[in-house]
Structure formats: C-alpha cells, structure tokens
Amino acid sequence: MHVEQQQQTVNNAKKADKKRRRCLAIIKSDCDVSPSDTPTVYLAILNVGLSNGLTEESLLEAAAQTGGSVSEVAMLTGKSYCFLVCCSLEDSQLVYTGMHNVSTIGQQGAVAYLSYVTALPTLAGKSEWNKPLPSGLIVLPDFVSDAEEATLLRSIAEDGRSYEGTLKHRHVKHFGYEFLYGSNNVDPTKPLEQSVPTACDFLWPRLESFSSSWDWSTPDQLTVNEYKPGHGIPPHVDTHSAFLDPILSLSLQSDVVMDFRRGEAQVQVKLPRRSLLIMSGEARYDWTHGIKPKHIDVVPTATGSLTTQARSKRTSLTFRRLRRGNCNCSYPTLCDSQQSTVPQELSTTLADQAVSLEQQNVHEVYDKIANHFSETRHSPWPQVAQFLDSFEPESVVLDVGCGNGKYLGCNAHILAIGCDRSQGLLAVGQQKGQNVFRCDCLNVPVRSSSIDGCISIAVIHHLASADRRLSALREMARVLRPGGRALVYVWAKEQRRNDRKSAYLRQNKAVNKERTTEQEQRQKQQHELEQRPQDHVSLPVHTNRTEFQQQDVLVPWKTKDEQRTTFLRYYHVFEEHELDKLVAQVPEVELTKSYYDQGNHCVIFKKIAICTARP
Amino acid sequence: MKLSTYNFLTSMAIKGVKVGFPLKLTISKKELVETEFNPTFVERLLPKLDWSAVYGAAQVAELAEDIPAVQPESIVDNEQLLQKLHHLLFEIDVLEGQLECPETGRIFPITDGIPNMLLNEDEV
C-alpha cells in the first residue's frame, strides 16, 4: 500500500470517529441512550433516520445484505438516527461490520455510521400513531376504486376551468359555491355556474350506513385542492357558520398524513389514496386539521414501527353542505357564531363596572407596561402628523391621551401640550422636555374654548361605555375654541378593507405565510389562558394580530422580560360609522371628515358655536 | 410644568366649582431651561393666554417687576417685554410644587415636573 493511501485510510477513520462521537452525544442528550464498547443486540444508526428520508424498507435491505438478522426497527419522528434490534449477538456483529462506514443509505448516498448501544430509547414505540383518533373522525379506506378515482378526476378537469393560483401552498377549484379565503366563508346568495359534478353522485349511497346518526343530504359545495410534494394547508377548522356537520374529504392520487390538533393534543392520521375522511362532531368543530408542507411523510408500517414515504401529487375533494345561519354547536372555542354573539347582560355589566374595569384593565396595565409600551410607540402615523402640520404656527394643540408624547414634537411651530392617565408614560414625555400633565380624558382640566386643536389617538376605545366615550368627545369639544379642529382615532373591529389586511394583521407573519391560521392561534391562546390561574375575566380575550370577533374584548400584552407576563387591556373596538354617530351627538361640533386608516376609524370635527359653561 | 401650560389649567371639573381659574400656584423647585426666543411666537400666542394668570405666574416666579399687571394694548414693538414673557412662559420649568383650586382649596401636586390633575370619582 502506498504511503498516501495509508494516510487517506487513517484520515477517513479519524473523520468517522469524530462524526460518531458527535452523533452519540446527540443521541445521549436526546433520549439517554449510551454507547456500548462491547457488542450488544442493539445497534444505533447514528446519522440516518426519518428526518433525512430513510425508509424502513431500505434500512432492512441494507441490513439483510450483511447476512445478519434483524428483529425490530425503531425509527423516531424528526430524528436523524434510528435503531435496530438484532436476533442475536452474532447477527448484531454481522450487521455492524457489514454496515458501519460501508452502507450508503444516507442522504445522497452518504455512508452510515453505527454503534452498539446498551438499550433502545424508552421513547421508541410511544409514537404519535398509537393515540386514539379524535372523537367523530372516521377514515374509510378504499372508498372508491381505481377506475372510479380516474372518473372523478376526469369530471373535475372536464369543466375546463384551471386551478386558481392565489394560495401559497396549493391549487384550488370550487364547485357549487366559491369558498372565499378572505372571509373564510361562502356567499350563499352567489351560487357558481358549476355545481357539484353529477359524477360524484355514486358516492352518497355508500354513506347510507352512517345516515342514521347524521341529518344527511347531498353536499352542495365541493372544494378541490391539488397538492404537489412540499405543498400543505395550515391547521384550521372549517368555519362553523359556513358549513354543516359532517365534512367529507376524499383523497385521490396519493397518500398523505394529516395533523389534528386541539390545545396541546396532536394526532397524526394517515389518509390513504382513495380513502374517505369523515369529520363529524368534535373532530369537525373542535379540532383543527392541516397538512405540513413537506416532501416526505413519516408513516407507520404494518408491524407498527415507523418509516418514511415520499409524497407525490395528491388531489383532495372536500364535500360540504352550506349552513345558512348561525352555528349552535357545543364547541364554542372555535365557533365563529358563538364567539361573535355578545351575551345580553354584557353591555349592562360593562356600563356598571366601567370605572373598575378601566382602572384594572387599562390604567393599571399601562402603568405596569409603560416602558416597554413606550419603546414600541415611536413613529407617528403619517395622517396624524399631517393633521398636526395643518395648524398655523403658534396654534395651541392638546393631545388627549398623549402616551409617551410621540406626537408632541411633530410640529415644532405649535404649542403642543399633552395629557394622559398614565404617570409612567407621562414621565417618558417629561424627560424629553414636553409639556404634559396628568388627568382623565373624561375631565380635562383645561379652560373652555381655549385650544386651537385637539388630537386623541387610540384613547377613547379604552372607555367601557358609549356614554363615557361620548363624554370624552364632549370634553374635547368644550376645550376647543370656535373654529378649532379635533382628530380622533379609535381601533376598528374591521381589520381588513377592500380585501387588504391592516398593518396590525399584516404583522401576523405565521398566518400570512400560511404556516398557521387565526383559528389555530385562538385555540392555542385559549389553552394558555386555561393553564394560568386567571383573575376573574368576564370578557372574551382577543388573540393578537387576528381579526376581532367581538367589540368589547381584552387584548393581551406580553412583556418582553423573562417572565413574559401577560397583561390584559380592555378595548371597545368600533364598528364602521359608530364614531361618526357619537360625534353627531355633540351639538357644538360638525363632522368634517371620517375615514379608515390601517385598522382604525378616524374622524376630524370642527367646533361651530361658542361653548357655554359645562353642564 | 412650563408656565405656558399653567395658563390653560383649571379645576372646573370639580363638582360645584364654577370657574376654577386661575389656580393658585406654589413653586418649591424649578429649573431654568434655555430655549430659542421667537418674538412672533410669543406675540401671536398672547391672545390665547389669560393675562391674569400670566401676571399671577410672574409673581410666584418672582418676576413680577418684569410683567405689567394689565396687558399692554400693543406689544409688537416691545421686544424687551416679549423676551421677558418668553422667559416666563417657556424657560421656567416647575419641577416640584402645587396648584390649588381657588374655590375649594383642593391641592393638585406637581411632582417631577408633572402636575397631577386627576380627580377622585367622588369629586366629579
């Protein structure tokens, strides 16, 4: 042997040894499995597993070539290693010497490294697959034949419409009614020209055996999803108010794994090609379902261990029936109908408890989060700055609810004075040399008719009754001189306009990238809230960066410190024209302009008459 | 609190109070902040201010000699007075002190430069 070759061999062995030690350290910390210096029947394949696409089949094939017999394969979800159990020590030694640094079963033909280990990890066998299915979930394998599959696919393609390319991770086509992804609903008044193809009619008699438990009739809506490898659908629940129970989904062309989640519970379900998935009851209403955008699925083998399966093109036919009304299911967490109905007693309770609610869920919270809140409030909103710039030099402008005073320095040519409830926020402004004082927006301690302009940005939506919100506007009207103008911003319930999301929703990156859905986030938060000992919460808790479901809500604020404490702020988010109507109730002003700006309703009003003394 | 801000504050929100103005000012700690003098700004701001409160503030700030008790008819050409008013209104920052309602005697403390005008629920 040449010296160079010898050197090469030594280097290879060194490299393998280094790699082995690194892998063993990972396995040790992951699942507390230790290497063994002497042969055992347990072998770890150190650098190849489910996460790099290893199949049980190819692993067993490689082991068989060594002449050693294997009794068990243990593959772990998401891991780049796996385990073999051999029939005897001799078999184990054969497999070890035959495969270690020899077998090219790794990704792109990479060589595998093996090690004897003292035992199998205790995790093995406790896979996602041994869990019971969500209640109401049924998978009927071989629901259609190969020939029927072909017929269905043909009839869907026949209408000549192409798939819409609007969704990030899949192509869709609708029959009966269009599913509108903006509102996650259908418009029952606008049926499509293309109804559910009659070629699907043969499916329904097959479901008759289930018809006793369901109020069954033929589906009037079909959504066809075409998934290529790597495509997926974020976890969601089909909008309760849009569709009845159950929901049917036929898998064609290839298998896929679907994830079902509820709180922390997660169940994976394999949907074989030509099977029918039935989601009813709890599975339809309370579990989200989704498909991860992956190229390879991990699936159970006939013997109960795990292997991988490459995805290929899959078409799903989801059949649903329109509900045409409110949903009254027994699963309120994800029920849009029930989440958006306000209990009768709530507005009376709110009015009665307005003072204490604002104290606890507005004032106290702002004082606690003042510094962190202030850090997040630095850039002035352009249209507010524009309003401030519209004042003549030497005008006196009062910012009611000035917070950290970010608007007080906007226009250097005016005398800007700010007031706020929060001492913590005022201190930030005072440090910057701004003119501030502390008061409540319901009792502004300023001379009547003395001010040229007023702004109140994101303030009166913290007041817990319509009367109080009106009083705040009256105070602004009172302090304005005749001809003086005010700009008021409040948060809008509607966070989407002309199919465009507000800046607030646009910051929900996970939803925008279709990694998850608002429903999934709501479900998670609901779960979190249930976990923590909660002071009495009588109001629904909003999920940040999702659309509002109600007008009176508690909005969480998570601190950035290690504790990640969650504070709940009370908000009354405004319906369209609600603010205009409040302004109309203030006699001495007239509405100049009303507009929508990035998820806020905004008004500009002008004082018309000389204000008399306060009532 | 600058004395320009003081000029706008009242205690009229207190139940039963009719005018609540001017508030009785006490200064226990103040700071002088030099700012750029803009005569036009002072002159045009004057009509928006209440002279009695300007004069009152001058007395408390020990600048009474500089400011006449009665507002002069025209001030445009009186650069000296404008300068003094500028100093009074924009350069004196009251850090500690109090404001007192002229009708009820209710005290509003000024702490760290911020007057606390917040009223209790039973006062309004």
Side-chain angles (χ1 to χ4, degrees):
Chain A
M1 207 187 259
H2 282 294
V3 178
E4 273 177 24
Q5 277 179 324
Q6 278 180 351
Q7 189 58 42
Q8 187 69 39
T9 316
V10 171
N11 282 350
N12 271 348
K14 267 191 180 168
K15 196 175 153 196
D17 197 47
K18 205 173 159 191
K19 172 103 185 169
R20 258 178 63 152
R21 269 182 291 152
R22 207 164 52 222
C23 291
L24 279 166
I26 294 170
I27 296 171
K28 174 75 183 164
S29 81
D30 265 9
C31 45
D32 200 26
V33 167
S34 307
S36 168
D37 294 333
T38 53
T40 63
V41 291
Y42 306 110
L43 282 169
I45 319 291
L46 301 172
N47 59 333
V48 198
L50 290 175
S51 76
N52 25 36
L54 181 66
T55 62
E56 187 179 286
E57 199 183 345
S58 57
L59 177 60
L60 287 173
E61 196 183 314
Q65 281 172 12
T66 67
S69 300
V70 172
S71 63
E72 197 183 330
V73 182
M75 300 184 100
L76 302 163
T77 311
K79 299 300 178 193
S80 60
Y81 50 83
C82 58
F83 301 91
L84 289 175
V85 185
C86 296
C87 297
S88 69
L89 275 183
E90 289 73 38
D91 288 312
S92 187
Q93 280 165 300
L94 279 172
V95 173
Y96 179 83
T97 43
M99 283 185 74
H100 174 59
N101 216 352
V102 176
S103 257
T104 51
I105 53 170
Q107 251 172 341
Q108 281 138 20
V111 75
Y113 301 115
L114 276 74
S115 172
Y116 296 111
V117 289
T118 52
L120 279 190
T122 44
L123 289 157
K126 284 185 192 165
S127 77
E128 306 280 339
W129 299 94
N130 299 339
K131 294 175 188 166
L133 291 185
S135 165
L137 189 78
I138 300 161
V139 180
L140 299 174
D142 297 311
F143 193 74
V144 296
S145 68
D146 285 329
E148 287 162 347
E149 178 188 46
T151 313
L152 285 170
L153 288 167
R154 249 197 326 275
S155 76
I156 283 153
E158 253 167 18
D159 75 345
R161 288 181 303 158
S162 59
Y163 286 96
E164 293 149 30
T166 50
L167 297 167
K168 284 192 178 70
H169 299 301
R170 61 190 199 277
H171 299 303
V172 295
K173 199 165 169 178
H174 304 287
F175 294 85
Y177 295 87
E178 185 182 359
F179 187 78
L180 306 161
Y181 290 94
S183 59
N184 278 324
N185 215 320
V186 285
D187 184 346
T189 64
K190 288 183 185 157
L192 293 170
E193 248 174 66
Q194 298 83 3
S195 54
V196 178
T198 49
C200 301
D201 288 350
F202 74 92
L203 297 166
W204 319 131
R206 292 183 192 177
L207 279 166
E208 265 166 16
S209 55
F210 294 99
S211 61
S212 56
S213 54
W214 297 324
D215 170 24
W216 182 251
S217 64
T218 309
D220 52 3
Q221 200 274 339
L222 163 63
T223 296
V224 181
N225 281 280
E226 191 191 76
Y227 299 89
K228 296 209 166 71
H231 282 181
I233 184 167
H236 66 283
V237 62
D238 291 51
T239 308
H240 287 203
S241 65
F243 305 111
L244 290 165
D245 182 21
I247 286 163
L248 310 172
S249 187
L250 196 59
S251 295
L252 301 179
Q253 292 176 297
S254 103
D255 304 348
V256 82
V257 172
M258 189 171 259
D259 301 306
F260 285 83
R261 291 189 214 173
R262 187 170 69 155
E264 280 183 344
Q266 188 169 350
V267 179
Q268 295 184 311
V269 180
K270 183 178 169 180
L271 305 180
R273 177 179 184 179
R274 297 185 288 97
S275 69
L276 182 74
L277 167 73
I278 304 173
M279 290 181 281
S280 69
E282 190 183 292
R284 181 261 177 275
Y285 290 123
D286 215 28
W287 289 73
T288 64
H289 57 280
I291 298 170
K292 290 198 185 87
K294 299 196 296 187
H295 286 86
I296 297 167
D297 275 319
V298 175
V299 290
T301 62
T303 57
S305 57
L306 296 179
T307 189
T308 56
Q309 185 176 29
R311 283 192 193 164
S312 53
K313 186 175 144 183
R314 171 177 175 268
T315 300
S316 77
L317 274 53
T318 304
F319 297 98
R320 299 178 281 207
R321 285 183 303 139
L322 265 57
R323 183 180 292 275
R324 298 166 201 277
N326 283 330
C327 176
N328 57 357
C329 67
S330 359
Y331 308 96
T333 306
L334 296 177
C335 183
D336 59 312
S337 295
Q338 291 173 59
Q339 290 297 335
S340 58
T341 33
V342 182
Q344 275 288 302
E345 64 275 19
L346 187 62
S347 50
T348 356
T349 316
L350 277 175
D352 288 349
Q353 300 179 353
V355 175
S356 63
L357 179 69
E358 289 165 21
Q359 180 61 35
Q360 194 183 324
N361 290 100
V362 181
H363 312 320
E364 285 176 18
V365 174
Y366 274 110
D367 271 334
K368 283 177 192 148
I369 68 173
N371 285 329
H372 178 207
F373 177 83
S374 177
E375 283 164 24
T376 65
R377 298 292 186 277
H378 32 77
S379 25
W381 289 341
Q383 299 200 61
V384 179
Q386 209 181 331
F387 178 77
L388 289 169
D389 282 340
S390 73
F391 284 90
E392 285 175 24
E394 298 89 36
S395 295
V396 181
V397 175
L398 180 69
D399 185 348
V400 180
C402 66
N404 64 359
K406 74 169 179 176
Y407 288 112
L408 297 178
C410 268
N411 181 348
H413 306 292
I414 59 171
L415 174 59
I417 303 174
C419 59
D420 204 278
R421 250 322 280 234
S422 163
Q423 184 71 21
L425 288 172
L426 287 169
V428 179
Q430 158 72 15
Q431 291 297 313
K432 291 186 277 187
Q434 284 158 351
N435 308 307
V436 293
F437 58 89
R438 187 174 184 213
C439 72
D440 195 288
C441 64
L442 296 170
N443 297 292
V444 179
V446 166
R447 286 190 279 128
S448 301
S449 304
S450 64
I451 303 283
D452 299 301
C454 249
I455 62 167
S456 181
I457 311 303
V459 176
I460 70 165
H461 54 207
H462 284 311
L463 296 168
S465 75
D467 277 352
R468 293 168 74 80
R469 297 186 281 271
L470 178 59
S471 295
L473 292 179
R474 286 210 168 105
E475 273 296 83
M476 288 180 234
R478 179 186 63 80
V479 302
L480 282 180
R481 67 164 168 82
R485 292 172 295 136
L487 170 69
V488 178
Y489 265 57
V490 291
W491 217 356
K493 178 162 185 280
E494 171 195 22
Q495 287 295 314
R496 195 189 280 271
R497 183 131 310 182
N498 302 327
D499 219 26
R500 244 184 90 72
K501 290 179 172 185
S502 68
Y504 176 71
L505 290 185
R506 285 204 300 278
Q507 284 176 52
N508 193 334
K509 296 206 177 78
V511 166
N512 294 339
K513 291 190 175 153
E514 290 181 21
R515 283 204 300 269
T516 183
T517 55
E518 293 192 351
Q519 295 163 333
E520 165 90 351
Q521 293 179 334
R522 278 187 199 120
Q523 196 186 42
K524 268 195 184 145
Q525 172 169 292
Q526 182 64 32
H527 184 76
E528 263 178 47
L529 288 170
E530 281 164 11
Q531 296 305 302
R532 65 178 209 160
Q534 184 62 51
D535 33 358
H536 174 70
V537 175
S538 51
L539 285 165
V541 177
H542 169 67
T543 303
N544 277 316
R545 312 224 174 271
T546 67
E547 296 204 51
F548 291 102
Q549 297 188 297
Q550 294 197 3
Q551 281 198 274
D552 294 287
V553 290
L554 296 172
V555 177
W557 178 278
K558 268 202 181 104
T559 59
K560 281 276 185 285
D561 57 15
E562 275 172 27
Q563 281 89 39
R564 303 283 290 164
T565 320
T566 302
F567 292 104
L568 298 172
R569 280 176 300 165
Y570 166 79
Y571 276 89
H572 172 84
V573 289
F574 280 61
E575 295 279 15
E576 189 169 19
H577 303 309
E578 187 180 342
L579 185 56
D580 308 0
K581 284 179 194 156
L582 274 187
V583 173
Q585 290 180 60
V586 186
E588 63 264 53
V589 302
E590 65 180 17
L591 186 68
T592 322
K593 192 178 169 188
S594 168
Y595 63 101
Y596 178 87
D597 181 14
Q598 292 295 354
N600 297 285
H601 289 302
C602 326
V603 288
I604 296 176
F605 57 82
K606 188 175 180 178
K607 185 154 170 180
I608 43 175
I610 293 169
C611 185
T612 50
R614 270 165 60 98
Chain B
M1 180 193 71
K2 304 279 169 51
L3 294 174
S4 46
T5 303
Y6 162 73
N7 204 281
F8 290 92
L9 298 179
T10 93
S11 58
M12 67 185 288
I14 300 175
K15 208 189 306 174
V17 170
K18 290 197 176 66
V19 185
F21 184 85
L23 296 167
K24 198 178 153 209
L25 171 69
T26 311
I27 301 175
S28 46
K29 188 181 169 193
K30 66 185 176 194
E31 191 181 44
L32 293 181
V33 195
E34 213 170 292
T35 58
E36 199 190 327
F37 172 48
N38 178 346
T40 323
F41 192 95
V42 181
E43 184 224 321
R44 295 217 186 138
L45 187 68
L46 276 184
K48 302 170 203 275
L49 299 179
D50 181 289
W51 190 267
S52 70
V54 172
Y55 181 68
Q59 285 182 309
V60 181
E62 292 159 359
L63 294 165
E65 287 163 23
D66 295 345
I67 313 289
V70 181
Q71 182 171 10
E73 294 257 323
S74 169
I75 202 165
V76 189
D77 304 320
N78 194 345
E79 175 125 353
Q80 204 186 359
L81 181 56
L82 285 171
Q83 176 98 53
K84 283 172 182 165
L85 284 167
H86 167 78
H87 176 68
L88 174 72
L89 297 170
F90 300 111
E91 297 194 315
I92 295 170
D93 195 4
V94 181
L95 295 182
E96 306 291 330
Q98 66 179 47
L99 299 164
E100 186 185 321
C101 168
E103 293 167 47
T104 64
R106 161 72 146 94
I107 305 284
F108 300 96
I110 304 169
T111 320
D112 295 327
I114 304 168
N116 184 359
M117 307 300 290
L118 210 52
L119 293 166
N120 297 325
E121 225 184 304
D122 56 7
E123 291 178 290
V124 295

